[in-house]
């Protein structure tokens, strides 16, 4: 039986992971030993009652007593970074569903501890790529992606000779809520508009990233880091039905694809159990019903974040960390009503214009790069408001 630590358990990915892990068949395969959340006490306590972990971590230290009073007797309760690191070190599989750059310490702790990292936190790999890749070489360490696109590619590559037989990776994108709109039509979109994703149910940050297609740009960098394929051989195609989750084009002209209904429980279960498959058919398609699949290129002149991400990825070094940090600042400002939707790409572009390459050989270097990009992006937002 594999032990699992679930960090970010009360968010969108985390609650779906709890759904997977609490099923009767999965309870025979996995034992949850740690849960961690930032501040959602009621949900965390309810999860602890359901899964009976040995350790529960609350990010906000002021909430420790409230959590301790709600979890089952004998459950250890910790808080803050120390608690997160303990949770990330004590299981066979660590599912990192922490939102944003804050997930980097979890990623590093899991890999340096020789664990399987079920990675739902793309920002830690993107921003910290040089140090994450170093930690990835720890004996026993491995990354199995939870993002539906990279999980799809992982599955396709498992059926091939690996990256050496690959001609091209195709990341599919739903197109988000604004597919087909012009730049002029997007000038006045609201927060509610941007959060109305047509096919996926996700947290607010990634939903806004989906509306700008920054999520797809970040996924290009993630695919490069995960699978070692060059940027010139990674492409994006818009697929509104969200049935084909990504594709691998092979040297001989064949294309492999992974298809299912949009249900994040499938890639979560895959990442936890690979190479074994879940017995629960999350996202199964009914092929007896008429189904149409369509594909189109993204409008890169409208969704400018795509090319910003490719540019940062090709620069390498600290540039992806700058991209991710500036985007987090801009998205936060948009959700706070301080920046228009069109301003997200503007803030990221202006921040990257001030980028200067610095070595990112250690975690502290990554933290410094992130902090500098946030400082500049925050100043840009302030100037615009």
């Amino acid at each position: 039986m594999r032990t699992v630590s679930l960090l970010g358990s009360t968010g969108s990915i985390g609650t779906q992971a709890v759904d997977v892990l609490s099923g009767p068949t999965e309870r025979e395969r996995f034992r949850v030993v740690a849960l961690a959340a930032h501040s959602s006490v009621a949900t965390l306590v309810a999860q602890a009652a359901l899964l009976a972990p040995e350790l529960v971590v609350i990010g906000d230290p002021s909430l420790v007593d409230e959590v301790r009073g709600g979890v089952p007797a004998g459950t250890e309760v910790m808080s803050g970074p120390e608690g997160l690191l303990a949770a990330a070190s004590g299981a066979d599989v660590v599912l990192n569903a922490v939102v944003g750059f804050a997930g980097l310490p979890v990623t590093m702790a899991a890999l340096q501890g020789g664990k399987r990292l079920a990675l739902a936190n793309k920002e830690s790999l993107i921003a910290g790529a040089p140090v994450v890749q170093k930690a990835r070489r720890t004996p026993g360490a491995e990354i199995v992606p939870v993002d539906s696109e990279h999980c799809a590619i992982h599955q396709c590559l498992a059926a091939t000779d690996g990256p050496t037989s690959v001609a091209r990776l195709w990341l599919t994108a739903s197109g988000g809520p604004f597919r087909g709109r012009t730049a002029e039509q997007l000038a006045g979109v609201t927060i509610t508009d941007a959060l109305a994703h047509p096919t996926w149910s996700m947290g607010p940050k990634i939903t806004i990233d989906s509306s700008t297609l920054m999520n797809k740009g970040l996924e290009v960098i993630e695919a490069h880091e995960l699978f070692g394929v060059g940027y010139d051989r990674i492409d994006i195609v818009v697929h509104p039905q969200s049935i084909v989750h990504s594709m691998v084009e092979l040297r001989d002209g064949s294309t492999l694809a992974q298809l299912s209904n949009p249900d994040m429980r499938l890639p979560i279960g895959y990442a936890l159990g690979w190479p074994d498959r879940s017995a629960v058919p999350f996202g199964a398609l009914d092929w007896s019903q008429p189904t149409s699949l369509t594909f189109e290129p993204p409008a890169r002149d409208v969704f400018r974040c795509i090319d910003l991400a490719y540019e940062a990825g090709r620069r390498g070094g600290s540039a992806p960390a700058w991209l991710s940090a500036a985007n987090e600042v801009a998205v936060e400002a948009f959700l706070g009503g301080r920046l228009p939707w069109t301003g997200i790409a503007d803030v990221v572009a202006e921040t990257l214009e001030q980028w200067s390459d610095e070595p990112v050989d250690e975690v502290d270097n990554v933290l410094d790069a992130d902090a500098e990009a946030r400082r500049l992006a925050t100043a840009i937002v302030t100037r615009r408001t």
Side-chain angles (χ1 to χ4, degrees):
M1 178 178 287
R2 284 181 178 168
T3 56
V4 176
S5 288
L6 175 50
L7 292 92
S9 67
T10 61
S12 175
I13 293 294
T15 53
Q16 291 179 85
V18 169
D19 189 32
V20 171
L21 291 163
S22 60
T25 59
E26 302 306 80
R27 280 181 178 268
E28 297 178 359
R29 300 172 65 207
F30 303 105
R31 180 168 64 88
V32 177
V33 296
L35 295 170
H38 177 61
S39 58
S40 299
V41 173
T43 303
L44 183 62
V45 165
Q47 291 174 342
L50 176 66
L51 297 171
E54 299 165 6
L55 172 64
V56 170
V57 179
I58 187 75
D60 185 345
S62 69
L63 299 174
V64 166
D65 289 341
E66 188 177 351
V67 172
R68 187 173 285 122
V71 298
T75 306
E76 183 179 5
V77 178
M78 298 180 68
S79 67
E82 181 182 353
L84 279 179
L85 294 180
S89 306
D92 301 321
V93 182
V94 178
L95 196 159
N96 184 358
V98 175
V99 176
F101 182 73
L104 178 61
V106 174
T107 289
M108 293 298 294
L111 294 176
Q112 288 172 340
K115 310 296 184 181
R116 167 177 294 181
L117 175 64
L119 184 64
N121 173 273
K122 63 172 67 70
E123 290 87 353
S124 60
L125 175 59
I126 291 162
V131 295
V132 172
Q133 295 292 22
K134 188 188 305 182
R136 198 177 175 185
R137 294 192 287 271
T138 303
E142 63 176 341
I143 299 177
V144 181
V146 171
D147 273 354
S148 61
E149 297 81 2
H150 303 88
C151 180
I153 291 172
H154 192 279
Q155 293 179 66
C156 291
L157 290 177
T160 71
D161 296 329
T164 57
S165 62
V166 172
R168 189 166 296 276
L169 303 181
W170 289 93
L171 298 173
T172 56
S174 68
F178 302 141
R179 181 176 67 89
R181 297 201 198 183
T182 65
E184 292 73 20
Q185 292 171 327
L186 291 170
V189 297
T190 67
I191 297 170
T192 301
D193 295 333
L195 288 173
H197 196 280
T199 53
W200 292 99
S201 176
M202 305 175 289
K205 194 269 181 183
I206 192 171
T207 303
I208 299 304
D209 283 350
S210 181
S211 75
T212 63
L213 292 193
M214 175 60 91
N215 73 316
K216 212 52 52 178
L218 293 173
E219 287 168 9
V220 167
I221 301 174
E222 184 180 6
H224 170 76
E225 296 295 341
L226 282 172
F227 306 116
V229 175
Y231 287 103
D232 292 340
R233 295 193 294 133
I234 305 174
D235 276 319
I236 296 168
V237 63
V238 174
H239 168 53
Q241 294 81 22
S242 296
I243 297 295
V244 177
H245 296 294
S246 276
M247 300 173 283
V248 175
E249 181 183 337
L250 303 178
R251 292 178 305 180
D252 64 359
S254 300
T255 297
L256 304 181
Q258 186 263 324
L259 286 72
S260 65
N261 280 313
D263 189 331
M264 283 304 299
R265 292 174 299 177
L266 191 158
I268 290 167
Y270 177 87
L272 293 173
W274 183 80
D276 298 328
R277 294 274 181 170
S278 172
V280 182
F282 295 117
L285 291 163
D286 182 358
W287 289 107
S288 68
Q289 299 300 312
T291 303
S292 296
L293 304 176
T294 61
F295 303 88
E296 62 193 58
R300 296 169 90 124
D301 58 330
V302 177
F303 298 98
R304 294 174 293 138
C305 288
I306 293 176
D307 288 333
L308 291 171
Y310 269 98
E311 177 187 350
R314 288 189 171 107
R315 287 182 185 180
S318 62
W322 277 54
L323 173 85
S324 179
N327 179 64
E328 286 193 21
V329 169
V331 168
E332 182 181 357
F334 170 69
L335 288 171
R338 295 178 288 116
L339 189 72
W341 182 88
T342 52
I344 294 174
D346 292 335
V347 169
V348 174
E350 191 172 340
T351 303
L352 286 176
E353 286 174 0
Q354 302 178 62
W355 172 76
S356 58
D357 196 12
E358 298 290 343
V360 282
D361 300 327
E362 303 294 338
V363 171
D364 285 346
N365 302 141
V366 179
L367 297 175
D368 290 343
D370 175 82
E372 178 63 7
R374 287 177 189 274
R375 183 187 68 80
L376 291 168
T378 300
I380 293 166
V381 169
T382 300
R383 192 173 69 245
R384 287 172 168 266
T385 56

